[in-house]
Amino acid sequence: MTDVISREVLLVSYPNGLPNADNFAIAQTKLEPLQDGQVLVHNLYMSVDPYMRGRMSDRKSYVPPFELGKPLNGGAVGEVLESRAKEFNQGDIVTSNFGWREYFIAAPKELHLVSQEVQPFSVYLGALGMTGMTAWVGLNLVNVKADDVVCISGAAGAVGSVAGQLAKLRGCRTIGSAGSMEKVKFLREECGFDIAFDYKAAPILEQLNREVPDGIDVYFDNVGGEMLEAALSVLKVHGRIIACGGISGYNQEKQPGPSNLFNMITKRLTMKGLIVSDWLAHQQEFEQEVGKYFRDGKLKNKETVVVGIDQAVSAFIGLFEGKNVGKMVVKLD
């Protein structure tokens, strides 16, 4: 194949607070000739996710920080353009962690083959990707079962919208919080939530006490902050918390803790943290169960799509400004 020039997004400085365009740059790189045992992939879609903000600092975390002056990485789905590895053929569709770039060369072990029967391919970054698997794992983590009352924060986002739908399929009563009436409507009409409310419309605890006066069994936390504090007040005795994310504090140097944490003791609550990469051994089980829901039309994959790698940074920043409904993906030219 002739020389391949790939545009890539680099991190050039660590953000202070909310990231801005000056923290990033787009560079061009010429890929090396393909060697035996390697695969050349053209990315079709890439993912931007809130967790990436945690890697944009030099603080110690569960994953190493992004390196300054180097391309970012993250979930992507692409097409094999050329393969010199027996595991893949030209035209195969694969997922990888080589997002934030248009083309890349990888070893077979760094790629995951997916079915071309499922369309659009971006679903492998959403409901059938790591965000969907995060929702599925979270529900399994605390054994969510029929008749549980499940409250989900950030419910109109990529993880929350799938978690709510999967909880409904288990026979749960679902409550979701979101940041606009448009998103509330989406949760009620498209995702089937029993109750949805705009957390900006009135104090969160006031709304929860009104909507679920008898309390909740499970709180799926994607937000932290005020929402977590309110959930600690309305959880029933022996309630369970899925600690998945805390987007409300990702751009703060210090994240304040809830003032009512003592409820963990008085209500005998259980709180479990979740990192989806710990569950990759269960990926096939997830794909079989949740993939069937999607193919049968029982699970919807909502997306907010922006076009072009030059729009990837604004799409990422938009996550913290509430600009996405469902999964935010970037379609690459």
Side-chain angles (χ1 to χ4, degrees):
M1 180 170 285
T2 57
D3 293 342
V4 176
I5 305 297
S6 177
R7 288 186 295 170
E8 305 173 334
V9 180
L10 315 181
L11 184 68
V12 296
S13 62
Y14 290 129
N16 182 14
L18 181 69
N20 62 67
D22 293 338
N23 300 125
F24 306 87
I26 295 181
Q28 291 188 342
T29 185
K30 180 181 176 181
L31 299 190
E32 297 291 330
L34 201 64
Q35 303 296 313
D36 288 342
Q38 292 183 325
V39 182
L40 172 64
V41 178
H42 171 216
N43 276 334
L44 303 175
Y45 296 90
M46 56 162 276
S47 177
V48 291
D49 300 282
Y51 83 87
M52 295 174 177
R53 177 61 182 87
R55 299 189 65 188
M56 295 178 184
S57 72
D58 56 2
R59 292 194 298 259
K60 186 177 180 180
S61 184
Y62 64 94
V63 286
F66 292 125
E67 293 185 56
L68 295 181
K70 298 289 183 68
L72 298 156
N73 57 39
V77 58
E79 179 183 3
V80 173
L81 294 186
E82 185 179 353
S83 175
R84 298 185 65 176
K86 66 181 186 299
E87 292 89 345
F88 295 97
N89 299 310
Q90 183 179 358
D92 282 346
I93 302 300
V94 296
T95 57
S96 75
N97 198 41
F98 290 98
W100 297 90
R101 67 202 76 194
E102 294 175 316
Y103 300 86
F104 66 91
I105 291 172
K109 66 180 180 180
E110 297 172 305
L111 305 173
H112 178 67
L113 183 69
V114 296
S115 171
Q116 299 191 35
E117 296 178 1
V118 175
Q119 300 276 347
F121 294 139
S122 54
V123 73
Y124 291 113
L125 302 177
L128 301 187
M130 285 300 105
T131 48
M133 187 170 174
T134 300
W136 178 80
V137 167
L139 299 181
N140 290 340
L141 191 67
V142 299
N143 190 31
V144 172
K145 59 188 183 302
D147 297 326
D148 275 340
V149 179
V150 180
C151 179
I152 302 169
S153 60
V159 173
S161 59
V162 175
Q165 292 180 79
L166 293 179
K168 285 298 296 181
L169 287 167
R170 294 190 183 198
C172 300
R173 187 176 181 225
T174 54
I175 300 96
S177 69
S180 71
M181 288 310 299
E182 174 195 5
K183 293 180 179 181
V184 167
K185 183 178 180 181
F186 160 67
L187 294 176
R188 290 172 176 165
E189 297 182 2
E190 297 188 45
C191 297
F193 277 68
D194 297 286
I195 297 169
F197 65 91
D198 179 356
Y199 70 85
K200 298 177 181 178
I204 296 172
L205 181 56
E206 176 184 307
Q207 294 194 72
L208 281 174
N209 282 330
R210 180 173 64 248
E211 299 289 359
V212 280
D214 295 329
I216 61 175
D217 299 292
V218 177
Y219 172 52
F220 197 123
D221 190 20
N222 294 303
V223 172
E226 182 185 356
M227 186 68 205
L228 172 59
E229 187 167 294
L232 284 166
S233 292
V234 299
L235 276 157
K236 299 176 184 177
V237 172
H238 300 301
R240 295 103 76 199
I241 301 171
I242 304 158
C244 180
I247 192 172
S248 68
Y250 285 169
N251 293 304
Q252 300 176 15
E253 285 299 314
K254 293 184 178 180
Q255 300 183 26
S259 64
N260 58 347
L261 194 59
F262 197 69
N263 284 352
M264 292 289 299
I265 298 170
T266 59
K267 295 185 178 185
R268 285 82 84 197
L269 304 177
T270 299
M271 185 176 190
K272 291 188 176 182
L274 163 61
I275 302 295
V276 70
S277 57
D278 293 344
W279 290 70
L280 293 182
H282 298 270
Q283 187 169 2
Q284 185 175 3
E285 181 185 351
F286 157 74
E287 290 176 347
Q288 289 175 345
E289 179 184 338
V290 180
K292 187 176 189 307
Y293 290 145
F294 182 77
R295 291 190 297 272
D296 291 346
K298 296 179 179 179
L299 178 69
K300 296 182 179 179
N301 179 64
K302 184 71 172 180
E303 297 177 337
T304 299
V305 182
V306 300
V307 179
I309 197 166
D310 55 327
Q311 298 300 312
V313 169
S314 61
F316 172 70
I317 296 171
L319 293 171
F320 302 97
E321 299 171 337
K323 293 184 177 179
N324 63 301
V325 179
K327 182 77 185 77
M328 180 80 88
V329 296
V330 179
K331 182 177 181 180
L332 300 179
D333 298 328

